[in-house]
Amino acid sequence: MTKHILKIVSFLLLLGVLIGGGLLVTGSKKAPTATHPATASSRKPPKKTTTPKPVPKLTVTELNQHSDLRYSSIIYYGIKHTHIQRWQEVSDFSQGWQVEIYRGQAKYLVWPDKNIKPEAKQLEPNWFKLDSQGNVTYHSFVVHSFRDDQTKTVSLAAIVAQINHDHAMKKVRQMPTKLTTLKHTN
C-alpha cells in the first residue's frame, strides 16, 4: 500500500511541476486583484472620446455678410428643394459651380463645374434673381417641357430654415470651396 501511495504522491508532484513550468513558459499573467493590482503595462489606456463640435446654424445675417455662402445656400436649396428638373444639372457637389454675375442685372447664372470653359456654355443655364427684400426666384430655361413650374420664389429666411432643418449646415459651409464667381463689369 505504501508503494501505491508513493506513486500517487510522485504523480501529483510531477503534475504540479509540469503545470507550474507550463505557466512560466507561456508567460501567463494573473488577473489583477485587490492584492495584485494591475501594472501600468497591463492596463489599457482609456478610450479617448472626442465629441464633434456642433456646426453652427446658418443665419440670414451671415448669408448677407458672405456672398459665396449666400450663393452656396441658394444653389443647395435649388438642387434639393425647388423640384425644378433642370436644377439637377448642377447637382454634382464634387465638380462645384460657377456663378456669373453681370453688373446692373439682378440675374445670377449658375453653371455646373467651377472650371467650366466658355465653349462648354451652350445651353442657357439655370439662374436666380435676388431682390432687395431677400427673396430668391429660381429660373430654368424650359427644354422640351410644357410645364409652367420652371420658376419658384422663396425667401432667404426660408432657405436658411430648410438648410438648418436638413442639418446640411456643414455641407453648405464647405460648398464655397467648390464655387467660382465671375463678375462682369459690362
Side-chain angles (χ1 to χ4, degrees):
M1 178 92 134
T2 53
K3 218 180 200 186
H4 185 64
I5 294 176
L6 189 59
K7 281 184 180 182
I8 292 174
V9 170
S10 297
F11 174 75
L12 290 175
L13 281 172
L14 181 62
L15 184 63
V17 168
L18 288 174
I19 291 174
L23 290 175
L24 288 174
V25 170
T26 61
S28 297
K29 294 182 180 181
K30 281 188 171 182
T33 62
T35 57
H36 293 93
T39 62
S41 62
S42 67
R43 273 190 231 138
K44 289 184 181 178
K47 282 188 175 181
K48 292 182 180 178
T49 55
T50 56
T51 332
K53 291 183 180 180
V55 179
K57 291 187 176 203
L58 289 172
T59 65
V60 173
T61 302
E62 184 178 18
L63 296 190
N64 287 331
Q65 292 171 350
H66 304 284
S67 59
D68 283 351
L69 186 58
R70 180 174 57 246
Y71 304 149
S72 296
S73 298
I74 291 169
I75 292 168
Y76 172 88
Y77 187 91
I79 294 167
K80 299 289 185 179
H81 297 286
T82 62
H83 306 294
I84 298 174
Q85 185 175 357
R86 279 204 60 225
W87 272 87
Q88 294 310 302
E89 292 173 5
V90 297
S91 65
D92 188 343
F93 283 75
S94 65
Q95 286 189 351
W97 309 268
Q98 188 177 98
V99 175
E100 263 187 292
I101 306 164
Y102 289 90
R103 195 176 94 190
Q105 296 181 15
K107 190 174 180 178
Y108 300 80
L109 308 179
V110 181
W111 299 96
D113 189 354
K114 74 178 196 170
N115 298 313
I116 192 168
K117 304 291 182 219
E119 58 271 9
K121 297 176 180 180
Q122 299 301 316
L123 276 179
E124 183 174 330
N126 293 303
W127 52 284
F128 63 89
K129 282 188 173 185
L130 181 59
D131 70 21
S132 59
Q133 287 80 38
N135 293 311
V136 178
T137 302
Y138 292 89
H139 294 271
S140 182
F141 180 68
V142 179
V143 180
H144 308 298
S145 175
F146 300 104
R147 295 171 31 185
D148 294 331
D149 63 344
Q150 298 301 299
T151 65
K152 180 176 182 166
T153 301
V154 64
S155 69
L156 269 179
I159 291 172
V160 166
Q162 185 65 56
I163 291 169
N164 291 335
H165 179 274
D166 292 352
H167 300 284
M169 298 86 66
K170 182 176 181 181
K171 185 172 200 161
V172 171
R173 288 181 189 284
Q174 293 170 341
M175 286 173 65
T177 63
K178 299 282 188 171
L179 182 74
T180 301
T181 306
L182 296 178
K183 294 181 181 179
H184 299 285
T185 56
N186 52 356

